[in-house]
Amino acid sequence: MTAPTARHRPFGVSLLSILFIIAGALDVGAGIFALFQSDDDDFLAGTDAVSGDVTTYGIVAIIFGIAVILVGFALRNGANWARYLVGIIAAFRLGALIWVVIAYHNVHWYNAFWPVAIYAFVAGYLFFDKDSAEYFEGR
């Protein structure tokens, strides 16, 4: 009986997982910052936000940040569910950006071009790249 061979993680999957982990850490940091600043009158001055709004934002940002970090590690470990989750989110964001450009006449197509291109590239890479598909195969 031979031992199963370890699959090589493609560079793109490694890069995406690292970007997810960094983005999640930034969300957690922003949430913690918001929680500490929620009662600061100078921080709230000039906005319509109240202390409770900033506290809620901080808690939600921390929760989403932790979820994004977990998805980043799952991508890194080759979890197929994480690939599908990222693909669904990328497709949703892609559709939302296209809708915003169509629905609001003050948003020009070139303002949304780079985010649309990035979401399309991420979804395309995870699902249509041969190395990426092989890495997630059977997981």
Side-chain angles (χ1 to χ4, degrees), residues 23-37:
L26 290 173
D27 284 342
V28 170
I32 292 170
F33 177 78
L35 287 177
F36 280 115
Q37 296 297 320

Side-chain angles (χ1 to χ4, degrees), residues 9 13-25 28 65-83 85-86 135-136 139:
R9 181 175 43 247
V13 173
S14 296
L15 179 64
L16 282 174
S17 65
I18 290 169
L19 291 175
F20 266 76
I21 293 166
I22 291 170
V28 170
I66 291 170
V68 169
I69 290 170
L70 293 175
V71 169
F73 279 113
L75 270 178
R76 192 163 187 75
N77 292 329
N80 208 20
W81 65 266
R83 175 175 75 137
L85 181 63
V86 170
Y135 179 67
F136 289 104
R139 290 186 179 215

Side-chain angles (χ1 to χ4, degrees), residues 2-135:
T2 61
T5 60
R7 286 185 267 185
H8 173 69
R9 181 175 43 247
F11 173 75
V13 173
S14 296
L15 179 64
L16 282 174
S17 65
I18 290 169
L19 291 175
F20 266 76
I21 293 166
I22 291 170
L26 290 173
D27 284 342
V28 170
I32 292 170
F33 177 78
L35 287 177
F36 280 115
Q37 296 297 320
S38 64
D39 291 330
D40 186 3
D41 291 333
D42 292 331
F43 180 73
L44 298 174
T47 68
D48 291 335
V50 295
S51 178
D53 294 341
V54 177
T55 301
T56 302
Y57 166 77
I59 293 168
V60 170
I62 291 170
I63 292 169
F64 280 142
I66 291 170
V68 169
I69 290 170
L70 293 175
V71 169
F73 279 113
L75 270 178
R76 192 163 187 75
N77 292 329
N80 208 20
W81 65 266
R83 175 175 75 137
Y84 281 108
L85 181 63
V86 170
I88 290 168
I89 292 169
F92 176 75
R93 296 294 304 244
L94 182 65
L97 280 170
I98 291 170
W99 177 79
V100 165
V101 169
I102 292 170
Y104 296 102
H105 300 293
N106 61 344
V107 177
H108 301 288
W109 68 268
Y110 50 82
N111 291 339
F113 175 76
W114 288 111
V116 166
I118 290 169
Y119 291 128
F121 175 75
V122 166
Y125 174 75
L126 286 176
F127 290 98
F128 301 114
D129 182 70
K130 180 184 170 208
D131 293 336
S132 176
E134 286 177 0
Y135 179 67

